[in-house]
Amino acid sequence: MKNKKLAFIFGTRPEIIKLSPIIRECQRKKVSFFCIHTGQHYSYALDTIFFKELRLPKPEYRLQIKSKAPFRQGEHTGTMLIEIEKILLREMPYCVVVQGDTNTVLAAALTAEKISTTSHYTGFYIKVAHVEAGLRSFDRSMPEEVNRFIADHLSDFLFVPTKNEQKLLLREGVPSSWIHVTGNTIVDALQQSLALARRVNGILGKLAISKNAYMLLTLHRQENVDSKIVFKNILKGLESVYEKFRLPVIFPMHPRTQKRLKVFNLKIPFGIKVIEPVGFLDFLSLEADSRLTLTDSGGVQEESCILKVPCVTLRNNTERPQTVLVDANVVAGTNPENILKAAIKMYGTSRRWRNPLGDGTAAKQILNILLK
Ligand code: UD1
Ligand code: UDP
């Protein structure tokens, strides 16, 4: 076990949140590990706050490779390759652990594999463990789909949330012994933080809203906010949702969305209350007590499903079909009428679905498998 040093590599809000249960499990079991933060996310509200709230150690390596999205994504990913390689060659971990589908994930997995192809020279291999493997939207125009597909096919350990992703990976030719159905670590993260979120909860009071009498909105996907037409359509749909239900829509706005809103000179409709992105605890409180979530986020689709809050997905597809299959989520697209229809449907839905995403032991299972 001593030789099995792990390298956690992450760079964005959801990666920090979803890797946190595994990192804490490493601390508990005294497993040797270190962390590299690529700096893809860097604003306090998308980065530092999560280290504090989730009681995570300061990363040993902190890079500053900020995204220039929507431009020069090759440069963004390539710079990470160069910088991550220097660290991995020095640290020689047994395995690199990545989560999800960001540029950071692609760069980290590829760097580890590139180093392994020179083992005749360096004398060592680095394995790759992909947490939340096997998800597919089947939409190659999404940067996330490209990243997750390549990361999966570079990985030695593929930790999938459900049997559905296992099936998809088998169909793509991944050997079955490399795939492990563990559930999604977001269930662990949520279970570990929800009670605390409830205890410190003051966000509803601060926003002057009450339980079940508001909706929660997040929006940040490239395909939604980098296109003026699509962004405008979504806002129109949200306006009609407000007109129909007259419930305030709380919108912690991602910096990317803030920037695009300004560039496109778009107006936020009446009834939608924009706030700065919040920490995990405040966000969980907002999610748990919301009447409905409207989102293009992957993590928010999952959390809504776990918390038994109906979800309307503001996209044309989802790589989380399990949430739709149990009737917790509906994929609305971005057309205003369809957004309203989906909101009406989900507003009236019963909340009796079962959580298909795991039992909160994913982190323990993942670490046991890595250290076997
Ligand atoms: C990235 C991921 C996406 C994930 C999301 C989580 C890629 C290609 N995309 O998208 O899969 O769902 O993170 O939130 O990896 N910005 C800031 N402060 C920050 C971070 C970003 O101002 O802390 C702004 C910058 O202008 C940047 C833009 O947001 O150019 C986009 O950042 P980027 O990390 O490329 O994409 P996200 O939309 O955050
Ligand atoms: N989240 C948060 N504060 C916010 C919005 C989201 O803490 O203001 C959390 C949310 O609980 C979820 C994660 O961020 O765990 C989702 O991240 P995001 O939507 O940025 O990325 P995605 O899941 O789409 O990759």
Side-chain angles (χ1 to χ4, degrees):
M1 192 184 288
K2 222 177 185 176
N3 294 330
K4 288 196 166 183
K5 180 163 70 173
L6 304 180
F8 291 94
I9 307 184
F10 46 76
T12 69
R13 168 169 76 185
E15 295 163 72
I16 300 166
I17 294 170
K18 287 175 167 174
L19 284 175
S20 68
I22 314 178
I23 294 175
R24 279 200 299 263
E25 187 63 9
C26 279
Q27 287 176 315
R28 202 178 66 78
K29 285 194 160 167
K30 301 203 180 346
V31 173
S32 165
F33 74 93
F34 67 97
C35 296
I36 305 176
H37 189 323
T38 60
Q40 179 169 342
H41 282 180
Y42 47 90
S43 302
Y44 177 85
L46 265 79
D47 171 24
T48 316
I49 189 166
F50 299 104
F51 286 87
K52 290 188 177 162
E53 289 190 343
L54 297 165
R55 301 181 315 282
L56 292 173
K58 200 167 155 218
E60 281 73 6
Y61 297 93
R62 170 77 207 211
L63 305 172
Q64 309 267 351
I65 311 172
K66 295 179 183 176
S67 163
K68 298 184 181 74
F71 310 106
R72 303 217 293 273
Q73 292 297 286
E75 180 185 307
H76 186 228
T77 313
T79 311
M80 289 188 200
L81 278 165
I82 295 168
E83 296 305 322
I84 293 171
E85 185 177 53
K86 288 179 199 162
I87 301 169
L88 294 183
L89 283 173
R90 191 159 58 231
E91 291 275 0
M92 295 188 282
Y94 157 71
C95 181
V96 154
V97 185
V98 291
Q99 189 286 331
D101 51 24
T102 65
N103 288 349
T104 293
V105 170
L106 171 60
L110 187 52
T111 310
E113 280 300 281
K114 284 284 171 199
I115 290 175
S116 294
T117 61
T118 59
S119 64
H120 59 285
Y121 173 69
T122 59
F124 67 96
Y125 289 92
I126 303 177
K127 290 187 184 287
V128 178
H130 189 199
V131 178
E132 202 179 76
L135 275 65
R136 296 289 180 269
S137 68
F138 303 102
D139 177 358
R140 281 281 177 92
S141 68
M142 295 175 67
E144 291 85 1
E145 182 74 354
V146 177
N147 292 343
R148 63 170 80 97
F149 181 84
I150 301 174
D152 279 342
H153 287 272
L154 295 172
S155 294
D156 302 276
F157 298 95
L158 295 97
F159 297 111
V160 301
T162 75
K163 287 195 168 155
N164 181 56
E165 292 79 32
Q166 180 185 42
K167 217 162 41 189
L168 293 176
L169 288 173
L170 288 172
R171 220 159 62 190
E172 289 175 12
V174 177
S176 66
S177 61
W178 297 7
I179 309 169
H180 309 274
V181 186
T182 58
N184 195 310
T185 56
I186 193 61
V187 183
D188 311 29
L190 198 146
Q191 287 179 359
Q192 289 162 17
S193 292
L194 189 60
L196 181 60
R198 291 228 180 265
R199 268 204 306 282
V200 300
N201 180 10
I203 182 92
L204 269 69
K206 272 187 223 150
L207 295 172
I209 48 175
S210 7
K211 191 173 170 164
N212 267 324
Y214 65 92
M215 296 182 183
L216 181 63
L217 165 69
T218 77
L219 199 66
H220 75 282
R221 291 271 160 211
Q222 172 180 296
E223 65 271 24
N224 282 345
V225 301
D226 285 8
S227 154
K228 186 172 182 180
I229 297 173
V230 178
F231 198 170
K232 217 169 155 180
N233 270 338
I234 294 175
L235 292 177
K236 225 165 149 190
L238 295 167
E239 184 173 27
S240 47
V241 171
Y242 176 74
E243 277 165 8
K244 170 81 185 159
F245 297 105
R246 296 277 156 187
L247 292 182
V249 178
I250 307 299
F251 186 8
M253 197 187 280
H254 189 289
R256 179 180 199 135
T257 313
Q258 296 180 13
K259 287 176 186 167
R260 301 318 288 171
L261 193 78
K262 264 202 201 127
V263 170
F264 295 146
N265 196 21
L266 293 172
K267 295 272 162 302
I268 293 291
F270 184 76
I272 297 179
K273 187 174 172 49
V274 174
I275 59 173
E276 285 299 314
V278 294
F280 192 48
L281 299 181
D282 277 346
F283 195 79
L284 283 186
S285 297
L286 282 171
E287 250 179 335
D289 288 339
S290 172
R291 188 74 180 72
L292 192 74
T293 53
L294 300 137
T295 192
D296 62 2
S297 156
V300 176
Q301 290 175 61
E302 293 160 353
E303 288 164 356
S304 295
C305 180
I306 301 161
L307 291 165
K308 303 247 184 308
V309 176
C311 180
V312 171
T313 294
L314 305 167
R315 287 174 41 190
N316 295 318
N317 53 51
T318 181
E319 55 292 313
R320 274 105 174 154
Q322 259 50 36
T323 59
V324 177
L325 282 174
V326 297
D327 292 330
N329 185 12
V330 67
V331 179
T334 55
N335 167 293
E337 290 84 49
N338 293 343
I339 292 174
L340 178 60
K341 267 191 221 152
I344 293 171
K345 177 179 173 203
M346 292 314 279
Y347 191 86
T349 199
S350 80
R351 303 174 173 216
R352 282 198 294 265
W353 61 80
R354 58 165 191 94
N355 159 28
L357 300 171
D359 61 2
T361 61
K364 281 197 172 80
Q365 295 180 53
I366 288 169
L367 204 56
N368 284 341
I369 292 163
L370 287 178
L371 299 178
K372 222 188 248 171

